């Protein structure tokens, strides 16, 4: 199988045709991977998308984006600059999609992350369902809603919706399933094996799988046939990401093919992916941390240079997505992200593998005319670590009338900086044990650092800056 470079990549013209033929002949074959995926019932769009990543891997492409190849993104408009007028007709052409495939294993969870309680007795999924119901009431329209679940989250999620929000659970097309891809041996690039637990041979393909799932499930064609034109996508753990009619109006009237919601980076965001411009063609692109060479890390984390990060709130023109898919033989070619792991994540001595994934925001480079918009911080409140959970469960955040998570006015738009011991409180069970008597008040806190095992209570109040250490 030869490597076919993505747009913007060029193969050397200095190699003789015989040498090129010989090099291609020596490239690892995709046949065994295709066979494994077909035997598992994976759809053709996902198989083709993974083949694109595989070809990038075996060609020696690192997936890295060096600082020398990019420039900072400038001239990005803000929501305060929006002048477009909202038209109620947009609602009938819009679908809201929440990505709900994560188990939250990195936080010690063994079920859908969206079933974690985030505020009082409400889980992420509770608040998402309430947001959808409230949105429909306020807008007077039955805006289409769907979830992209994984094989790991589907049963728990649908059972929860059936028990608590049966109207949503019974809606046509409420669920679309994320695909899975095989882990690859680091030396041979063949599918990895794990006799003790065959499920370890597979991994999630990253949220870039949104596109393959839409295509392979037939959902993209069905939505287009149903008259849908605009899709708003966000992560299930970001409760600030609701359908905003002003942003919808701007996206629709701008005729943009793709739009990424960005926020201005702060110290808390310096390790997350940032927006930039590719020098070779002035295309907006996304550089994730895994795409940054080690020697450029200082530039990656320079929030004064690269000022905007991707919230993973995306607006997609479904008809334009269809055009890209058709032009690329049934899939959308996304940059490959390579992660070195072991086949059994609990056994460091097990087979060394690569997990290949893609990021859905990286599709910005595939859409001609793609744009971005700077949104308020209120539209970005995800939970990736127990630091985030600590913040959202504290009195620094409250639930709005439309069931969003928002900073209380007393914080003046600036969230407290929380750093709790990443070794002691990496997992939710350990954090919940430490806060069994409640989460301390953070409403007057600027920064708090906690090291070692510390018992906390809602009777505690952190003010200003401070640290607690139990050595």
């Amino acid at each position: 199988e030869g490597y076919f470079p993505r747009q913007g990549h060029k193969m050397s013209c200095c190699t003789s045709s015989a040498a090129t033929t010989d090099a291609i002949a020596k490239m690892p074959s995709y046949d065994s991977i295709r066979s494994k995926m077909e035997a598992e019932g994976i759809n053709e769009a996902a198989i083709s998308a993974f083949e694109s990543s595989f070809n990038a891997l075996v060609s020696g492409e690192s997936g890295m984006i060096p600082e020398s190849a990019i420039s900072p993104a400038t001239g990005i408009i803000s929501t305060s600059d929006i002048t477009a007028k909202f038209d109620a007709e947009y609602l009938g052409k819009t679908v809201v999609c929440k990505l709900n495939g994560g188990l939250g294993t990195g936080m010690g969870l063994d079920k859908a992350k969206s079933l974690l309680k985030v505020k009082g007795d409400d889980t992420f999924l509770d608040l998402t369902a309430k947001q959808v119901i409230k949105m429909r009431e306020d807008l007077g329209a039955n805006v289409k809603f769907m979830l992209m679940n994984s094989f790991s989250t589907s049963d728990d999620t649908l059972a929860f919706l059936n028990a608590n929000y049966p109207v949503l659970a019974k809606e046509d097309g409420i669920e679309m399933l994320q695909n899975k891809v095989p882990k690859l041996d680091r030396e041979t690039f063949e599918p990895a094996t794990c006799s003790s637990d065959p499920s370890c041979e597979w991994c999630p393909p990253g949220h870039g799988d949104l596109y393959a799932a839409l295509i392979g499930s037939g959902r993209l064609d069905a939505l287009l046939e149903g008259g849908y034109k605009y899709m708003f996508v966000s992560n299930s753990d970001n409760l600030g990401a609701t359908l905003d009619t002003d942003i919808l109006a701007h996206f629709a009237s701008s005729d943009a093919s793709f739009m990424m919601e960005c926020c201005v980076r702060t110290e808390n965001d310096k390790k997350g992916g940032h927006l930039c411009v590719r020098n070779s063609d002035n295309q907006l692109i996304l550089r994730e941390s895994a795409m940054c060479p080690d020697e450029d890390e200082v530039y990656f984390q320079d929030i004064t240079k690269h000022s905007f990060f991707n919230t993973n709130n995306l607006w997609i023109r479904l008809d334009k997505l269809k055009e890209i898919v058709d032009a690329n033989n049934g899939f959308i070619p996304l940059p490959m992200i390579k992660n070195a792991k072991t086949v059994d994540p609990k056994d460091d001595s097990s087979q060394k593998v690569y997990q290949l994934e893609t990021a859905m925001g990286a599709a910005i480079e595939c859409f001609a005319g793609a744009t971005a918009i700077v949104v308020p911080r209120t539209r970005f409140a995800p939970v990736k670590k127990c630091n985030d959970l600590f913040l959202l469960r504290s009195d620094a955040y409250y639930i709005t009338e439309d069931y969003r998570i928002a900073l209380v006015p007393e914080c003046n738009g600036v969230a407290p900086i929380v750093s709790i011991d990443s070794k002691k409180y990496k997992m939710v069970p350990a954090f919940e044990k430490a806060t069994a008597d409640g989460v301390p008040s953070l409403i007057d806190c600027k920064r708090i650092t906690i090291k070692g095992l510390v018992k906390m209570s809602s009777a505690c109040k952190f003010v200003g800056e401070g640290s607690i250490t139990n050595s």
Side-chain angles (χ1 to χ4, degrees):
E1 296 286 335
Y3 165 54
F4 298 93
R6 296 193 308 272
Q7 184 177 3
H9 291 257
K10 296 181 179 179
M11 297 185 73
S12 171
C13 298
C14 302
T15 308
S16 69
S17 59
T20 301
T21 301
D22 185 56
I24 290 176
K26 291 180 180 178
M27 279 190 174
S29 170
Y30 191 67
D31 293 347
S32 60
I33 299 170
R34 171 176 286 278
S35 296
K36 185 178 179 105
M37 296 179 77
E38 287 177 343
E40 197 70 14
I42 308 297
N43 68 65
E44 182 58 35
I47 294 174
S48 295
F50 192 65
E51 184 173 12
S52 177
S53 294
F54 173 82
N55 287 336
L57 174 70
V58 301
S59 74
E61 183 177 341
S62 65
M64 295 296 177
I65 303 175
E67 189 69 18
S68 59
I70 60 173
S71 298
T74 58
I76 308 298
I77 74 158
S78 170
T79 50
S80 59
D81 301 322
I82 291 177
T83 57
K85 300 298 182 183
F86 173 68
D87 187 332
E89 289 187 2
Y90 295 148
L91 296 175
K93 301 177 181 179
T94 302
V95 55
V96 175
C97 178
K98 280 285 187 179
L99 305 186
N100 190 51
L103 277 179
T105 50
M107 294 177 70
L109 304 175
D110 58 1
K111 58 183 178 181
K113 183 180 177 182
S114 59
L115 297 181
L116 175 65
K117 289 183 180 180
V118 64
K119 203 71 174 174
D121 289 328
D122 280 332
T123 66
F124 287 104
L125 200 52
D126 275 308
L127 292 172
T128 296
K130 291 176 180 180
Q131 285 176 353
V132 172
I133 293 167
K134 177 66 173 172
M135 170 186 69
R136 291 173 172 177
E137 290 175 354
D138 290 347
L139 296 176
N142 193 33
V143 179
K144 187 170 182 60
F145 173 71
M146 60 186 288
L147 292 164
M148 184 170 85
N149 291 327
S150 67
F151 290 99
S152 301
T153 63
S154 177
D155 289 346
D156 285 343
T157 297
L158 294 182
F160 183 89
L161 288 178
N162 273 305
N164 299 283
Y165 305 94
V167 174
L168 284 181
K170 294 174 183 176
E171 289 186 355
D172 182 50
I174 185 65
E175 179 187 60
M176 175 176 69
L177 280 178
Q178 183 184 40
N179 295 293
K180 58 182 179 179
V181 295
K183 299 175 184 179
L184 305 179
D185 183 274
R186 286 192 217 172
E187 298 295 330
T188 66
F189 303 136
E190 289 289 317
T193 57
C194 185
S195 57
S196 60
D197 185 358
S199 68
C200 287
E201 298 173 6
W202 299 89
C203 61
H207 42 59
D209 184 60
L210 167 71
Y211 309 104
L214 278 169
I215 300 158
S217 66
R219 193 62 55 85
L220 177 59
D221 287 338
L223 288 170
L224 288 169
E225 289 171 7
Y228 293 98
K229 188 175 183 179
Y230 314 110
M231 174 175 276
F232 173 57
V233 190
S234 62
N235 293 338
S236 63
D237 67 348
N238 182 8
L239 294 170
T242 55
L243 182 68
D244 184 291
T245 54
D246 288 337
I247 298 176
L248 170 59
H250 171 74
F251 180 59
S253 62
S254 69
D255 202 38
S257 56
F258 182 102
M259 186 170 72
M260 175 185 289
E261 291 189 21
C262 301
C263 282
V264 176
R265 295 171 91 197
T266 67
E267 180 184 348
N268 284 347
D269 315 308
K270 64 183 182 181
K271 294 184 179 181
H274 67 77
L275 192 64
C276 53
V277 176
R278 187 167 54 206
N279 292 336
S280 62
D281 57 3
N282 291 321
Q283 173 72 32
L284 275 175
I285 65 172
L286 177 67
R287 180 166 72 165
E288 299 282 5
S289 58
M291 298 174 172
C292 179
D294 291 342
E295 61 269 22
D296 289 336
E297 189 69 23
V298 64
Y299 302 111
F300 183 90
Q301 294 191 20
D302 186 349
I303 62 176
T304 62
K305 181 176 185 179
H306 296 296
S307 302
F308 307 108
F309 74 87
N310 169 32
T311 63
N312 239 24
N313 302 345
L314 305 178
W315 298 80
I316 303 166
R317 271 278 298 270
L318 295 176
D319 55 334
K320 299 297 184 182
L321 172 60
K322 176 68 173 174
E323 290 176 8
I324 294 172
V325 168
D326 289 345
N328 286 279
N329 298 315
F331 72 101
I332 181 167
L334 296 175
M336 175 267 293
I337 300 174
K338 178 177 68 176
N339 295 302
K341 305 279 187 177
T342 55
V343 67
D344 184 346
K346 297 177 182 178
D347 182 2
D348 291 341
S349 66
S350 64
Q351 184 180 14
K352 291 179 171 56
V353 299
Y354 284 128
Q355 292 183 193
L356 305 185
E357 62 180 73
T358 57
M360 71 173 182
I364 193 170
E365 71 176 57
C366 301
F367 287 81
T371 61
I373 186 169
V374 181
V375 299
R377 198 71 190 208
T378 51
R379 290 187 62 75
F380 184 71
V383 172
K384 303 301 181 187
K385 299 179 180 180
C386 286
N387 283 339
D388 305 317
L389 191 59
F390 192 177
L391 266 175
L392 294 192
R393 286 185 176 179
S394 78
D395 57 0
Y397 281 84
Y398 74 108
I399 303 295
T400 65
E401 290 184 356
D402 55 355
Y403 298 102
R404 289 178 297 108
I405 286 274
L407 266 176
V408 296
E410 290 89 337
C411 288
N412 296 313
V414 180
I417 297 173
V418 172
S419 178
I420 58 177
D421 196 311
S422 60
K423 293 182 179 178
K424 303 296 184 183
Y425 303 116
K426 181 180 180 180
M427 303 300 180
V428 170
F431 170 72
E432 293 191 330
K433 182 178 179 180
T435 57
D437 293 330
V439 175
S441 171
L442 298 180
I443 200 167
D444 294 315
C445 178
K446 290 185 177 179
R447 181 192 297 263
I448 183 66
T449 301
I450 297 175
K451 295 181 179 179
L453 293 174
V454 175
K455 184 75 172 176
M456 291 174 267
S457 163
S458 57
C460 301
K461 183 174 184 178
F462 295 132
V463 178
E465 299 188 16
S467 63
I468 300 173
T469 302
N470 179 8
S471 57

